Amino acid sequence: MRILAVSDLHLDGAAAEALLSAAGAADLVICAGDLANQHEGLVDYAARLAPIAGRTLMVPGNNETLDALRAATPATVLHGETVERGGLTIAGIGGGIPPLPPMPWSSWDLTEAQARRHLDGIGRADILVCHSPPAGLGDNHASLGHIGSVALKEAVIRLAPRLCLFGHVHDCWGEGGTLGPTEWRNLGPRPVWFTL
């Protein structure tokens, strides 16, 4: 399966066009959150991506809520649940985990305890898609330091997915590596290819 993945599009028109252009060769498109920018523009931007919605899985970021994203797109939106695609089990969880310092626009965050409750119901995953990074993996914010989620790192260790894909920390876009058997990547808005 050829998988095309992005995160943090933030209403960027050029990023949307690059994604649409590349998606023709993809069996599955994954977006790891933050289509909108400070909860604005989601409906119109999601409409631009409608041609690929049938092959797209998303999680909400901290710039859109779960309900708003599900209302804006016919794509599959995951949050604390799994779906099967091409013989792969894909799990997803959105939001900022843990919450960022108070910001008027970052209003869709989860505590570590809330994230654990969502993740505990996931029994297996070949791919884990989250908006926030697991602790210590592509999570070093220039001014806030390491802001990744302990709950997400625990889930990666427990589930041992083949891929863990996320975004959220713009300073680490493009960073990747491995944690045990899991390949991880902080995606960013430029399309990234994976084959499973």
Side-chain angles (χ1 to χ4, degrees):
M1 175 177 282
R2 285 178 53 79
I3 299 167
L4 181 65
V6 296
S7 72
D8 303 284
L9 297 173
H10 290 294
L11 306 182
D12 186 310
E17 292 308 310
L19 177 59
L20 289 167
S21 177
D27 300 308
L28 177 66
V29 178
I30 292 174
C31 181
D34 275 1
L35 266 66
N37 196 25
Q38 300 184 13
H39 298 274
E40 300 293 330
L42 177 61
V43 172
D44 290 341
Y45 195 75
R48 293 180 75 167
L49 302 178
I52 61 172
R55 289 179 287 141
T56 301
L57 298 177
M58 298 181 176
V59 298
N62 61 312
N63 276 261
E64 63 265 334
T65 66
L66 175 63
D67 290 342
L69 186 58
R70 285 186 169 158
T73 180
T76 300
V77 178
L78 299 175
H79 182 63
E81 57 206 318
T82 63
V83 67
E84 299 286 329
R85 292 288 188 274
L88 299 173
T89 300
I90 304 163
I93 183 169
I97 311 166
L100 292 172
M103 298 177 189
W105 52 265
S106 184
S107 60
W108 208 72
D109 299 323
L110 284 77
T111 66
E112 297 280 14
Q114 289 170 322
R116 281 187 184 95
R117 284 195 292 273
H118 286 290
L119 292 162
D120 284 348
I122 297 172
R124 67 174 303 270
D126 297 298
I127 303 172
L128 175 61
V129 182
C130 33
H131 179 60
S132 292
L137 308 180
D139 72 339
N140 193 12
H141 187 280
S143 59
L144 300 174
H146 291 279
I147 60 170
S149 165
V150 173
L152 286 171
K153 186 170 186 178
E154 291 168 351
V156 171
I157 292 168
R158 175 175 62 87
L159 296 168
R162 294 166 68 182
L163 287 177
C164 178
L165 305 176
F166 53 88
H168 189 48
V169 181
H170 297 195
D171 301 306
C172 295
W173 285 344
E175 288 186 15
T178 57
L179 178 62
T182 302
E183 178 183 356
W184 61 266
R185 179 77 62 95
N186 184 325
L187 296 163
R190 297 181 65 176
V192 181
W193 287 99
F194 300 91
T195 301
L196 291 184

